Structure formats: structure tokens, C-alpha cells
Amino acid sequence: MTVWAYKIGEDSPNPADGRSTTGDSRQTELSQSSDAKQSRSGSLGDQHPVALITGTSSGFGMLTAITLAKQGYRVIATMRDLSRKGELSNRAEEAGVTDRLYYVQLDVTDSESVQTAVDKVLQQYGRIDMLVNNAGFAVGGFIEEVSMEDWRRQIETNLFGLIAVTRTVLPVMREQKRGLIVNLSSVSGLSGFPGYAPYAASKFAVEGFSESLRHEMSSFGIRVVLVEPGAYRTPIWNKGLGEIHQKENSPYKHKLDAVLRYSKQASETAPDPQEVADLIGRIARMRAPRLRYALGKGSRLLIIGKALLPWKWLEWLIARGLQ
């Protein structure tokens, strides 16, 4: 069996929704929502926007938590295992934003855990202005040799987990008549690569889900955005490339070795993942963000190439890059 898995993470008006509301209009808005939310929170006087982020123990999620906290957000930093919050806690202390982080246990594959986490946020703050769906992991391997158990585990976390958190938060944002949802996709959600089919399938699904969600939520003041990073210097390399299992007699061994060589080279030259967190921070301040933001080494070139080149040319270029 040839399979590996790795974890990934894994304009400034009001940063909560990008709309500038002041004076009487702002006061009217607050008074209209006060009765509906008063039972959920005793801290309505706290006007700091609230961001809920999944998968904050490392990578993009951790960096985004610090970035948004610096911008004035109350950040709900969620993760499956709260004992892994050490690095985030240390970074928050160094950045002087410890009091803006609220740690909550959340397993995106457990519906009860998702509901409990959202209920805690509402009890504490009475609102959720921004959701960053970052939690996920990647299963790799050639399609024939990846077990159905691993396929299901991949989709359960990266797609169904993202949907579960989003569905639980949507009623809150719809009632508020505002909100921002940022879904962490990937360049693998735009183009499939050999050896990454499970991950690509999950991210392609996230892309389609996000397009539909954006259409459905536009009339409720809820903005939906896809962030599509290429390769970045995150723990995915150490966790993933160090845990690869393969059989010597695999018919895919030669191709898999080429994929691994390419991945290791990419890890050595990958840019700083803070770029992704900074982009999310900018999106949080935008009045009208667009649907997609691709970034990272080679990402834009790949998108242009896929749009303009005949498929056979693109196929040849990818195959050549893996030689």
C-alpha cells in the first residue's frame, strides 16, 4: 500500500464586515439585534469583532489567529486537542494579544463537538463575524493503492467537516445580516496532480461548495471567499514526507518517487506561510472581496496555463516536471 497523510494548519472600516457604520445608524442596528442576542451573551457592549478559526494548532490557522488578533478581533482558536495550543499561546504572548484569544476544543468530524463549540462562542460573545475554515489534512498516494477508509477519512474532514461548521454558523450570521466565511482551499482544488488525488478531490469539492454557498448567502450580507495557497513552508512537509509508506514491488514506485522528489524540492523553496495569514487579514478588511484568491509559488501561472493551454500541453508540462 502506498499512502501517506499529513496535517495542515493543515481598506479598514469595521473589520467585522467591511462596512462603515457610525452614529445613529450604528446605534439603531445594535438596538435592533440586542433583544435577540441578550440571552446568549452578557457582553454585548464589547464591539470587537469575533472570528472563529478551525485548526489553529499550527500552520495557516495559527498564523491567521495571531494576524486577526492584531487587527482587533476576538479570536476563537479551535483545535481537536487543546494540549497542542502551546505554540499558539507563546506566539500570542510575544505579539501582546493573549487577551484576544479564546481557546475552544472542536473536532470538525464530530457534530456534537461543532455545536458545543459554537454555543460556547455565542454564550461568551453573542456573535460570530468571521469564520475561517482551515482545519484539514492531506492523504496522498496513487489512487489504486489508497484504501477506501483513507478516502472516506479525507473527505469526512476536509469537506464534510467544513460543511458542518459552516452550517452551524450560518444561522448566526444570517440573523446578524452580515458575516464573512473564508474557506481554505488549495491550488490542488484547481488542478489535480498525480499522487494527490484524495486531497485534490476534497479541495475540488470545497471549491464547488463555496461557489454555491456564495450565491445562496449574497442576499443575507454574508460574503464567502476561497483562499487557494500553493506550496508553503508549513508543518505539512515534516509531518507528511516523513511518514510515507510504500511497497518495493509497487507498480507506481517510479512515479511515486518522482512525486516525492518534487515535493521535497518544493518544501525547500516554499515561501513564508505568513503571506497566507496576511491575505486573510486583508480580506477581513475588504468591503467586497472577490470569490477566489490564489497565491504562492507557481499558483497563478498554473491557473493561467490551465485556462489557456490545451490539456495535452499542460499534461506534458506536469509529467516533465516529475521526471
Side-chain angles (χ1 to χ4, degrees), residues 79-323:
M79 58 193 75
R80 284 191 306 168
D81 182 1
L82 288 179
S83 69
R84 298 185 61 213
K85 71 178 183 180
E87 185 177 358
L88 173 57
S89 179
N90 291 338
R91 286 175 178 255
E93 185 174 359
E94 291 173 4
V97 294
T98 299
D99 60 340
R100 295 179 190 166
L101 265 62
Y102 178 43
Y103 301 95
V104 175
Q105 190 277 333
L106 190 156
D107 179 350
V108 299
T109 66
D110 182 338
S111 58
E112 184 176 346
S113 172
V114 172
Q115 187 64 61
T116 298
V118 171
D119 287 344
K120 285 182 179 179
V121 177
L122 295 178
Q123 291 168 6
Q124 181 73 21
Y125 298 109
R127 60 195 288 178
I128 299 175
D129 300 287
M130 182 175 180
L131 168 64
V132 180
N133 280 312
N134 169 75
F137 73 104
V139 169
F142 277 72
I143 293 169
E144 179 186 347
E145 298 185 331
V146 177
S147 70
M148 287 309 301
E149 178 184 359
D150 284 327
W151 276 95
R152 292 188 177 97
R153 192 164 54 94
Q154 178 76 103
I155 302 299
E156 184 67 37
T157 298
N158 288 15
L159 176 62
F160 292 150
L162 179 148
I163 293 173
V165 177
T166 300
R167 291 185 68 251
T168 307
V169 169
L170 281 179
V172 181
M173 291 185 171
R174 183 167 45 75
E175 180 183 330
Q176 296 169 170
K177 294 183 172 58
R178 76 176 89 188
L180 171 63
I181 298 173
V182 176
N183 290 333
L184 263 292
S185 180
S186 168
V187 68
S188 292
L190 302 173
S191 184
F193 296 94
Y196 295 96
Y199 185 62
S202 72
K203 292 303 185 181
F204 265 81
V206 168
E207 294 274 329
F209 168 77
S210 300
E211 288 185 5
S212 295
L213 182 65
R214 181 162 168 129
H215 286 303
E216 293 181 6
M217 293 296 106
S218 61
S219 63
F220 295 100
I222 301 172
R223 294 154 298 143
V224 179
V225 176
L226 283 159
V227 172
E228 302 158 332
Y232 275 90
R233 199 167 58 248
T234 69
I236 81 171
W237 301 111
N238 292 335
K239 294 179 181 179
L241 301 181
E243 298 176 6
I244 296 168
H245 306 284
Q246 60 177 308
K247 290 184 177 180
E248 288 298 323
N249 62 351
S250 169
Y252 303 104
K253 184 179 186 304
H254 175 71
K255 290 186 176 182
L256 177 60
D257 287 343
V259 169
L260 297 181
R261 284 195 302 271
Y262 175 84
S263 298
K264 288 179 180 178
Q265 290 172 1
S267 70
E268 293 169 358
T269 59
D272 187 347
Q274 183 61 45
E275 291 180 6
V276 177
D278 289 342
L279 172 61
I280 295 173
R282 292 196 300 274
I283 292 170
R285 299 193 299 269
M286 292 178 186
R287 185 180 296 272
R290 62 179 187 263
L291 171 61
R292 286 184 168 88
Y293 291 86
L295 72 166
K297 188 176 181 180
S299 296
R300 293 183 181 88
L301 186 61
L302 175 63
I303 294 170
I304 295 172
K306 189 172 182 180
L308 300 179
L309 294 178
W311 169 254
K312 287 187 177 181
W313 292 16
L314 187 63
E315 192 174 37
W316 177 81
L317 286 171
I318 292 174
R320 187 165 181 254
L322 292 176
Q323 289 179 354

Side-chain angles (χ1 to χ4, degrees), residues 36-50:
K37 298 177 182 176
Q38 191 167 9
S39 63
R40 296 191 303 207
S41 172
S43 59
L44 287 173
D46 183 356
Q47 291 310 305
H48 289 282
V50 175

